[in-house]
Amino acid sequence: MNESTKPLLSICCTTYNHENYIAQTIDGFLMQLTSFPIEILIHDDASTDRTADIIRRYEVEQPDTIKVIYQSENQFSKGKRPMLLNFKRAQGEYIAFCEGDDYWTDPYKLQKQVEFLEKNPTVAFCGHAVKQIDADGTTLQESQFNILEDKHLAQEEIAFGHLGVPTLSLLFRNYGNFPSHSLINGDRVLLSFLSNFGGGYLSKENMGARRIHPGGIWSLRPLKEQIDARTLTLSKIPQLIDSERKSLAYFRFFIHSIKEDYSWKRKLKNIPLSFIMTLFWLRPTSLRFIFARIKKKFYGTSHLQQSPCQ
């Protein structure tokens, strides 16, 4: 592949048993109008329904653009994360992510986001508002996470654990060397890793749809399982954060251990450990952020530094 045909952007899609949704997802990729070449990387994790057959029809029609891995054994159940397997083969300078049960609604989504990152080199990723729908496509919420205004996210805020970024809206720079892990909360891990390189930006413009359905991996898990997964993820994330902001990841783990974790056995271990590590890694920028969080909590104001985006 020469430079003129090398994709500037790689769309990464992971799917499993999405026969009712995958066509709409791929159609959302193919309708994108861009001034640059793209590639569509799909990873089917050994679906047991007709998902793979549907993907093959698109692959035959667009063989130069759509590149598929059809697994014979489910990798997620083995502790491997299909998202990371896709990232490793991405050739683009930018990566956009969307799972096989979600979809994009704006044909200029990729063009808008890439243009934004090109103009703002200190920003590592950008996202946007999306609506939340059910299995039949009925709107449940007009804007997931209530993104009603444009937001600039400082590196400190992302390292602390900003969660209001719809995964299907993410478009980020391909820094390579994405951390390997077996954690369920892959989006949180990804954002934590990206915080080492720059800030983030969220647009209020609604350009996609997130689907809640019985086959969803995360949203319909029992609450205790979700808490167990978050606890494990938050305990590992500080290892991914650079020293300047590492204390913020420990501080987030400290708060989670106090307020959210139901296990007293874990609390007795994690609360003192995370507090000590917060103090050990504390840096001036982290200290200012913590004070700002406390001020916002008690007085409703904050002076968090924002990314210099245009």
Side-chain angles (χ1 to χ4, degrees):
M1 179 177 292
N2 58 46
E3 288 300 316
S4 62
T5 59
K6 181 180 178 181
L8 180 70
L9 180 140
S10 302
I11 298 174
C12 290
C13 174
T14 57
T15 186
Y16 175 73
N17 285 358
H18 291 151
E19 65 177 356
N20 294 326
Y21 318 121
I22 189 63
Q24 191 171 27
T25 302
I26 299 175
D27 286 340
F29 301 157
L30 295 176
M31 77 173 182
Q32 293 298 306
L33 301 173
T34 64
S35 61
F36 47 81
I38 66 172
E39 63 177 353
I40 300 173
L41 307 179
I42 302 176
H43 182 285
D44 178 68
D45 204 19
S47 293
T48 58
D49 60 5
R50 295 177 52 254
T51 299
D53 294 334
I54 296 170
I55 296 171
R56 284 190 180 95
R57 293 205 298 267
Y58 284 94
E59 186 182 19
V60 169
E61 295 173 0
Q62 303 274 351
D64 295 330
T65 302
I66 299 177
K67 303 164 186 177
V68 190
I69 292 177
Y70 300 99
Q71 295 288 358
S72 57
E73 295 182 86
N74 186 272
Q75 301 301 298
F76 187 88
S77 63
K78 295 182 176 182
K80 298 179 181 179
R81 295 298 168 252
M83 175 174 67
L84 297 176
L85 298 176
N86 247 357
F87 289 172
K88 288 180 180 179
R89 62 189 184 119
Q91 300 183 71
E93 295 179 28
Y94 301 99
I95 294 176
F97 182 71
C98 184
E99 294 183 326
D101 50 354
D102 302 326
Y103 63 96
W104 300 334
T105 57
D106 188 330
Y108 294 100
K109 165 195 152 66
L110 297 182
Q111 185 72 34
K112 294 173 184 177
Q113 290 186 290
V114 167
E115 286 181 357
F116 179 86
L117 290 182
E118 294 273 299
K119 293 177 182 177
N120 296 276
T122 61
V123 179
F125 70 87
C126 55
H128 54 78
V130 303
K131 65 181 178 179
Q132 193 162 275
I133 61 175
D134 64 14
D136 299 321
T138 302
T139 299
L140 303 175
Q141 188 177 1
E142 287 296 336
S143 178
Q144 185 191 17
F145 302 128
N146 291 316
I147 303 173
L148 304 179
E149 59 184 18
D150 297 339
K151 299 179 182 179
H152 303 291
L153 305 176
Q155 288 175 269
E156 289 75 21
E157 189 172 2
I158 305 164
F160 177 71
H162 189 285
L163 288 182
V165 183
T167 307
L168 73 114
S169 76
L170 273 175
L171 192 150
F172 51 93
R173 302 182 193 277
N174 185 0
Y175 294 105
N177 297 317
F178 294 99
S180 298
H181 64 85
S182 59
L183 301 168
I184 294 177
N185 306 112
D187 53 347
R188 190 190 287 263
V189 175
L190 174 61
L191 290 174
S192 299
F193 170 74
L194 293 175
S195 74
N196 294 323
F197 302 96
Y201 174 76
L202 281 177
S203 169
K204 66 182 178 182
E205 191 171 0
N206 200 309
M207 296 188 281
R210 184 202 177 205
R211 197 183 306 270
I212 304 296
H213 62 94
I217 293 176
W218 173 255
S219 58
L220 296 177
R221 282 177 177 264
L223 180 59
K224 277 194 171 184
E225 287 188 20
Q226 292 189 15
I227 293 174
D228 291 342
R230 281 199 297 269
T231 301
L232 179 60
T233 300
L234 290 171
S235 71
K236 302 293 185 183
I237 279 181
Q239 303 169 23
L240 308 176
I241 306 292
D242 62 28
S243 59
E244 187 67 22
R245 285 166 287 273
K246 193 182 292 289
S247 66
L248 296 175
Y250 278 116
F251 186 55
R252 178 67 184 88
F253 184 37
F254 172 70
I255 293 174
H256 168 83
S257 299
I258 292 175
K259 295 178 61 177
E260 300 176 39
D261 197 354
Y262 64 87
S263 170
W264 280 101
K265 182 178 180 180
R266 287 198 301 241
K267 283 178 179 287
L268 291 174
K269 173 187 175 183
N270 292 334
I271 289 175
L273 174 63
S274 57
F275 181 72
I276 291 170
M277 295 304 288
T278 298
L279 296 178
F280 179 82
W281 287 103
L282 197 60
R283 301 291 187 271
T285 53
S286 301
L287 185 60
R288 286 195 295 270
F289 179 87
I290 291 173
F291 279 144
R293 294 289 302 193
I294 294 173
K295 185 176 182 180
K296 183 178 181 180
K297 175 71 174 179
F298 289 99
Y299 299 103
T301 61
S302 176
H303 300 287
L304 301 183
Q305 179 183 2
Q306 293 187 337
S307 304
C309 304
Q310 297 177 358

Coordinates of all heavy atoms in Angstrom, one line a residue, residues 26 30 42 52-68 70:
I26 N -22.6 -1.2 9.9 CA -21.7 -1.1 8.7 C -22.2 0.0 7.8 O -21.5 0.7 7.2 CB -21.6 -2.4 8.0 CG1 -21.0 -3.5 9.0 CG2 -20.7 -2.3 6.8 CD1 -20.9 -4.9 8.4
L30 N -20.2 3.1 6.0 CA -20.1 3.3 4.5 C -20.7 4.6 4.1 O -20.3 5.1 3.0 CB -20.7 2.1 3.8 CG -20.1 0.7 4.0 CD1 -20.9 -0.4 3.3 CD2 -18.6 0.7 3.4
I42 N -13.2 -5.1 11.1 CA -14.2 -5.7 11.8 C -13.7 -7.0 12.4 O -13.0 -7.8 11.8 CB -15.5 -6.0 11.0 CG1 -16.0 -4.7 10.3 CG2 -16.6 -6.7 11.8 CD1 -17.2 -5.0 9.4
A52 N -21.8 -13.2 11.1 CA -20.7 -13.4 10.1 C -21.1 -13.4 8.7 O -20.5 -12.9 7.8 CB -19.9 -14.6 10.5
D53 N -22.3 -14.1 8.4 CA -22.8 -14.1 7.1 C -23.2 -12.7 6.5 O -22.9 -12.4 5.4 CB -24.1 -15.0 7.0 CG -23.8 -16.5 7.4 OD1 -22.6 -16.9 7.1 OD2 -24.7 -17.2 7.9
I54 N -23.7 -11.9 7.4 CA -24.1 -10.5 7.0 C -22.8 -9.7 6.7 O -22.8 -9.0 5.7 CB -24.9 -9.9 8.1 CG1 -26.3 -10.6 8.3 CG2 -25.2 -8.4 7.8 CD1 -27.0 -10.2 9.5
I55 N -21.8 -9.9 7.5 CA -20.6 -9.2 7.3 C -19.9 -9.6 6.0 O -19.4 -8.7 5.2 CB -19.6 -9.4 8.5 CG1 -20.1 -8.8 9.8 CG2 -18.2 -8.8 8.2 CD1 -19.3 -9.2 11.0
R56 N -20.0 -10.9 5.7 CA -19.4 -11.4 4.4 C -20.0 -10.7 3.2 O -19.3 -10.5 2.2 CB -19.5 -12.9 4.4 CG -18.5 -13.6 5.3 CD -18.5 -15.1 5.0 NE -17.6 -15.8 5.9 CZ -17.9 -16.4 7.0 NH1 -19.2 -16.3 7.4 NH2 -17.0 -16.9 7.8
R57 N -21.2 -10.4 3.2 CA -21.9 -9.8 2.1 C -21.3 -8.4 1.8 O -21.1 -8.0 0.7 CB -23.4 -9.7 2.3 CG -24.1 -11.1 2.3 CD -25.6 -10.9 1.9 NE -26.3 -10.1 2.8 CZ -27.0 -10.5 3.9 NH1 -27.0 -11.8 4.1 NH2 -27.6 -9.7 4.7
Y58 N -21.1 -7.7 2.9 CA -20.4 -6.4 2.8 C -19.0 -6.5 2.4 O -18.5 -5.7 1.6 CB -20.5 -5.6 4.1 CG -21.9 -5.0 4.4 CD1 -22.8 -5.7 5.2 CD2 -22.3 -3.8 4.0 CE1 -24.1 -5.2 5.5 CE2 -23.5 -3.2 4.3 CZ -24.4 -4.0 5.0 OH -25.6 -3.4 5.3
E59 N -18.3 -7.5 2.9 CA -16.9 -7.7 2.6 C -16.7 -8.0 1.1 O -15.7 -7.4 0.5 CB -16.3 -8.8 3.4 CG -14.8 -9.0 3.3 CD -14.4 -10.2 4.1 OE1 -15.2 -11.1 4.5 OE2 -13.2 -10.3 4.4
V60 N -17.6 -8.7 0.5 CA -17.5 -9.0 -0.9 C -17.7 -7.8 -1.8 O -17.0 -7.6 -2.8 CB -18.6 -10.1 -1.3 CG1 -18.7 -10.2 -2.8 CG2 -18.2 -11.4 -0.7
E61 N -18.6 -6.9 -1.3 CA -18.8 -5.7 -2.1 C -17.7 -4.6 -1.9 O -17.5 -3.8 -2.8 CB -20.2 -5.1 -1.6 CG -21.4 -5.9 -1.9 CD -22.7 -5.4 -1.3 OE1 -22.6 -4.3 -0.6 OE2 -23.7 -6.0 -1.5
Q62 N -17.0 -4.6 -0.7 CA -16.0 -3.6 -0.5 C -14.7 -4.3 0.0 O -14.3 -4.0 1.1 CB -16.5 -2.6 0.6 CG -17.8 -1.9 0.3 CD -17.6 -0.7 -0.5 OE1 -16.4 -0.2 -0.7 NE2 -18.6 -0.1 -1.0
P63 N -14.1 -5.1 -0.8 CA -13.0 -5.9 -0.3 C -11.7 -5.1 0.0 O -10.9 -5.5 0.8 CB -12.7 -6.9 -1.4 CG -13.2 -6.2 -2.7 CD -14.4 -5.4 -2.2
D64 N -11.6 -3.9 -0.6 CA -10.4 -3.1 -0.4 C -10.5 -2.3 0.9 O -9.5 -1.8 1.4 CB -10.1 -2.2 -1.6 CG -9.8 -3.0 -2.8 OD1 -9.2 -4.1 -2.7 OD2 -10.1 -2.5 -3.9
T65 N -11.8 -2.1 1.3 CA -12.0 -1.2 2.5 C -12.3 -2.0 3.7 O -11.8 -1.7 4.8 CB -13.2 -0.3 2.2 OG1 -12.9 0.5 1.0 CG2 -13.5 0.7 3.3
I66 N -13.1 -3.0 3.6 CA -13.6 -3.8 4.8 C -12.7 -5.0 4.9 O -12.5 -5.9 4.0 CB -15.0 -4.3 4.6 CG1 -16.0 -3.1 4.5 CG2 -15.5 -5.1 5.7 CD1 -17.4 -3.4 4.2
K67 N -12.0 -5.1 6.1 CA -11.1 -6.2 6.4 C -11.6 -6.9 7.7 O -11.7 -6.2 8.7 CB -9.7 -5.7 6.6 CG -9.2 -4.9 5.3 CD -8.0 -4.0 5.6 CE -7.7 -3.2 4.3 NZ -6.5 -2.3 4.6
V68 N -11.8 -8.1 7.6 CA -12.5 -8.8 8.7 C -11.7 -10.0 9.3 O -11.0 -10.7 8.6 CB -13.9 -9.4 8.2 CG1 -14.7 -9.9 9.4 CG2 -14.7 -8.4 7.4
Y70 N -12.6 -13.3 11.3 CA -13.6 -14.2 11.8 C -13.0 -15.2 12.7 O -12.3 -16.1 12.3 CB -14.3 -15.0 10.6 CG -14.9 -14.1 9.6 CD1 -14.2 -13.7 8.4 CD2 -16.2 -13.5 9.7 CE1 -14.8 -12.9 7.4 CE2 -16.8 -12.7 8.8 CZ -16.1 -12.4 7.6 OH -16.6 -11.6 6.7

